[in-house]
């Protein structure tokens, strides 16, 4: 799924984590974080500033730098991310304009990592997909990562329910929302190699798609 580049990427459901943006900041001039909860938005900002008391991302950042193979140091990567993430705004994927009251210019790429599965049901998933698509230029790219065949996940010791997604449903939902699928990968979960089971899904699905039209 590499090779996608552009001016601006919106990270939908950014959460308090930076891992998903570490390589994206090399391919886009601007990243806009779009997250529902104020607590997560503030934690992400603290992470950008590398404030004391936050989660130590050093090992993760070093791993990304090693995989990219450009000789980038951890501090250089931190600085690049800090410069590239220009805004962190509130986002509600249930709204036709997820970032209202803001009206943003359409962007080159929208990324949603482990976000849309948190909706109420499959119809809500399709609606949310179309809502975030409204932020994207025709010809722009969607990067999405979801749990397959799962019903719940744990976060901070609390159990949350999620909508059960299948590969067939995901393929249909993406194309029905006006996209052409460029790449689709399903990765099985090996529970024997996991120290903790944080969800009951049997696999993850990764999709890269290009927007053909507004729906």
């Amino acid at each position: 799924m590499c090779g996608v580049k552009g001016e601006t990427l919106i990270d939908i459901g950014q959460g308090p984590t930076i891992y998903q943006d570490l390589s994206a900041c090399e391919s886009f001039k601007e990243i806009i974080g779009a997250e529902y909860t104020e607590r997560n938005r503030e934690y992400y900002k603290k992470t950008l500033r590398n404030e004391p008391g936050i989660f130590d991302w050093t090992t993760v950042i070093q791993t990304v730098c090693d995989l990219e193979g450009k000789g980038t140091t951890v501090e250089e990567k931190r600085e690049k991310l800090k410069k590239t993430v220009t805004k962190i705004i509130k986002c509600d994927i249930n709204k036709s304009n997820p970032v209202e009251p803001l009206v943003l210019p359409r962007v080159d790429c929208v990324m949603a990592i482990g976000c849309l599965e948190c909706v109420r049901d499959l119809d809500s998933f399709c609606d949310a997909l179309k809502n975030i698509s409204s932020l994207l230029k025709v010809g722009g790219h969607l990067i999405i990562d979801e749990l397959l065949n799962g019903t719940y996940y744990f976060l901070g010791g609390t159990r949350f329910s999620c909508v059960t997604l299948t590969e067939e449903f995901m393929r249909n939902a993406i194309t029905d929302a006006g996209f052409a699928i460029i790449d689709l990968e399903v990765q099985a979960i090996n529970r024997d190699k996991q120290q903790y089971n944080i969800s009951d899904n049997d696999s993850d699905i990764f999709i890269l798609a290009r927007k053909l039209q507004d729906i």
Side-chain angles (χ1 to χ4, degrees), residues 189-204:
I189 302 296
N190 188 341
R191 298 295 180 193
D192 294 335
K193 293 185 178 181
Q194 289 188 330
Q195 185 176 2
Y196 304 104
N197 288 331
I198 60 172
S199 65
D200 65 341
N201 63 306
D202 63 15
S203 52
D204 293 332

Side-chain angles (χ1 to χ4, degrees), residues 147-153 159-164 199-201:
L147 308 180
L148 284 187
N149 305 308
T151 62
Y152 69 85
Y153 63 93
R159 175 170 164 160
F160 295 88
S161 62
C162 61
V163 65
T164 301
S199 65
D200 65 341
N201 63 306

Side-chain angles (χ1 to χ4, degrees), residues 98-113:
V99 298
E100 72 172 33
L102 299 178
V103 178
L104 299 179
R106 292 194 180 194
V107 299
D108 303 294
C109 186
V110 168
M111 178 171 65
I113 307 296

Side-chain angles (χ1 to χ4, degrees), residues 1 144-149 165-168 170-171 183-189 201-207:
M1 294 188 183
I144 191 167
D145 169 21
E146 300 291 351
L147 308 180
L148 284 187
N149 305 308
L165 304 171
T166 65
E167 180 181 346
E168 180 182 11
M170 288 295 294
R171 287 182 180 274
D183 191 10
L184 183 150
E185 299 175 17
V186 174
Q187 183 175 16
I189 302 296
N201 63 306
D202 63 15
S203 52
D204 293 332
I205 189 167
F206 304 88
I207 297 175

Side-chain angles (χ1 to χ4, degrees), residues 5 25 28 45 52 58 73 78 81 91 93 102 105 118 127 136 143 148 161 172 174 210:
K5 298 181 179 181
C25 70
F28 293 88
K45 292 175 185 177
T58 302
T73 67
R78 286 187 191 276
L81 183 65
C91 171
I93 60 174
L102 299 178
C118 300
D127 290 340
L136 186 62
I143 299 172
L148 284 187
S161 62
N172 291 334
I174 295 290
R210 183 169 56 87

Side-chain angles (χ1 to χ4, degrees), residues 105-149:
R106 292 194 180 194
V107 299
D108 303 294
C109 186
V110 168
M111 178 171 65
I113 307 296
C115 173
L116 303 192
E117 68 226 22
C118 300
V119 296
R120 294 184 303 275
D121 51 39
L122 295 178
D123 287 340
S124 298
F125 184 97
C126 293
D127 290 340
L129 187 59
K130 292 174 183 177
N131 291 342
I132 67 171
S133 174
S134 70
L135 304 171
L136 186 62
K137 297 175 181 176
V138 172
H141 290 91
L142 171 71
I143 299 172
I144 191 167
D145 169 21
E146 300 291 351
L147 308 180
L148 284 187
N149 305 308

